[in-house]
Amino acid sequence: MERFKNKVAIVTGGGRGMGVAITNRLAAEGATVVLTYSKSRDQAEGVAAKINASGGRALAVEADSANPQAIIDAVATTITEFGKIDMLVNNAGIYIGKDFEDHTLEDYEQIMAVNVRAVYVASLAAVKHIPAGGRIITIGSNMAVSALSPQTTLYTMSKAALAGFTRGLARDLGNKEITVNLVQPGPIDTDMNRPDTDHADFLKSRMALSEYGTGDDIAGLVAYLASDEGKFITGTAITIDGGLNA
Ligand code: NDP
């Protein structure tokens, strides 16, 4: 399938975890992918090298999502290198889980900078380069709908903010034929959420499907939303969580 031939995508945090699956899926379907990283340079460059070696096109770019200028620069690099942006996938995210009494202002600043502000900044920087038919897809969390357990206040707040952003931006960009959607994964096997912990057992016990999902499960939905088939879907949040919130 070459659904994304001649399309250019940015995947933030595309070198590790779910981001790798999204990057690989879009590239496998013909997209040129710019994947950003902050700490995981080797992994991100490895992902890009593998895509390039197999006939695709990818570029790993250092861009700390907590730094607005770095995001703006990554968008500028994409334009310099590839001339446009058809899809922006806001995937990079962090989790801070602790008792509420132990929270600090720094925790708040950190999580909001990466999980929320970066999404706003990347969308703002990219939108002027996104043509009709373009896509902005953000990775939220099922926890925006159901927090499920203690110690999740900050993360849940940050991911809930993305639903409002998505609805508003869909209205702003509808007349440009750009769709804006939020994908809300449940438990997915990555470094952020290992399936072999006590907490994982609790989550599995609450899931209709009882098993963690994979990055490929999320990448499949992202690819659908990015494709022509997804052209009538905008301003919505789609939860993909093995029935955890059911
Ligand atoms: P991982 O921790 O496995 O990977 C996180 C990714 O985000 C890495 O590529 C990382 O790159 C990047 N990232 C983190 N901080 C920054 C930063 N400051 N600047 C740039 N990139 C950054 O997590 P997942 O793959 O699981 O998470 C991906 C997304 O999915 C996140 O938004 C997360 O909140 C969300 N999610 C995950 C769930 C799960 O169960 N795994 C469930 C629901 C949502 P680097 O190492 O270079 O910093």
Side-chain angles (χ1 to χ4, degrees):
M1 274 196 297
E2 290 265 293
R3 288 191 294 186
F4 305 133
K5 200 169 174 216
N6 300 323
K7 303 280 189 194
V8 178
I10 296 179
V11 180
T12 66
R16 198 161 65 73
M18 226 180 276
V20 178
I22 296 168
T23 295
N24 284 337
R25 178 66 187 260
L26 297 179
E29 295 204 42
T32 295
V33 184
V34 172
L35 54 142
T36 70
Y37 64 88
S38 58
K39 299 191 187 83
S40 307
R41 175 192 297 268
D42 289 351
Q43 277 156 289
E45 288 185 344
V47 170
K50 216 165 155 189
I51 291 168
N52 289 320
S54 62
R57 205 153 62 143
L59 178 67
V61 172
E62 182 176 2
D64 180 356
S65 289
N67 175 355
Q69 190 57 49
I71 300 167
I72 292 165
D73 291 347
V75 168
T77 300
T78 306
I79 296 305
T80 305
E81 295 292 326
F82 305 116
K84 62 172 179 162
I85 299 162
D86 297 286
M87 314 161 201
L88 168 65
V89 183
N90 292 304
N91 162 76
I94 54 172
Y95 178 80
I96 299 174
K98 50 166 85 167
D99 289 336
F100 188 63
E101 291 84 346
D102 296 333
H103 280 214
T104 64
L105 193 54
E106 286 71 32
D107 293 330
Y108 173 88
E109 302 286 3
Q110 198 188 348
I111 209 160
M112 295 304 277
V114 176
N115 289 7
V116 182
R117 189 179 65 196
V119 173
Y120 173 82
V121 171
S123 302
L124 189 57
V127 76
K128 59 178 84 71
H129 305 289
I130 302 181
R135 306 281 189 258
I136 296 177
I137 300 165
T138 301
I139 308 298
S141 168
N142 74 303
M143 287 166 61
V145 180
S146 180
L148 284 162
S149 56
Q151 301 192 328
T152 63
T153 302
L154 260 185
Y155 185 76
T156 299
M157 179 178 69
S158 73
K159 292 300 189 179
L162 300 173
F165 175 75
T166 298
R167 287 194 293 269
L169 191 58
R171 295 268 180 200
D172 277 330
L173 301 185
N175 62 356
K176 295 187 166 156
E177 293 173 43
I178 298 169
T179 68
V180 187
N181 288 295
L182 183 63
V183 170
Q184 300 189 139
I188 303 296
D189 182 357
T190 66
D191 291 342
M192 185 185 280
N193 191 353
R194 301 257 61 121
D196 52 4
T197 63
D198 289 346
H199 185 62
D201 290 341
F202 161 74
L203 292 174
K204 284 186 250 185
S205 76
R206 300 286 298 269
M207 295 169 74
L209 297 180
S210 305
E211 287 298 337
Y212 270 40
T214 66
D216 287 339
D217 292 326
I218 304 307
L221 178 55
V222 169
Y224 177 77
L225 290 170
S227 76
D228 271 357
E229 283 184 288
K231 71 181 188 329
F232 197 55
I233 304 172
T234 196
T236 200
I238 302 177
T239 298
I240 169 168
D241 69 346
L244 182 55
N245 286 2

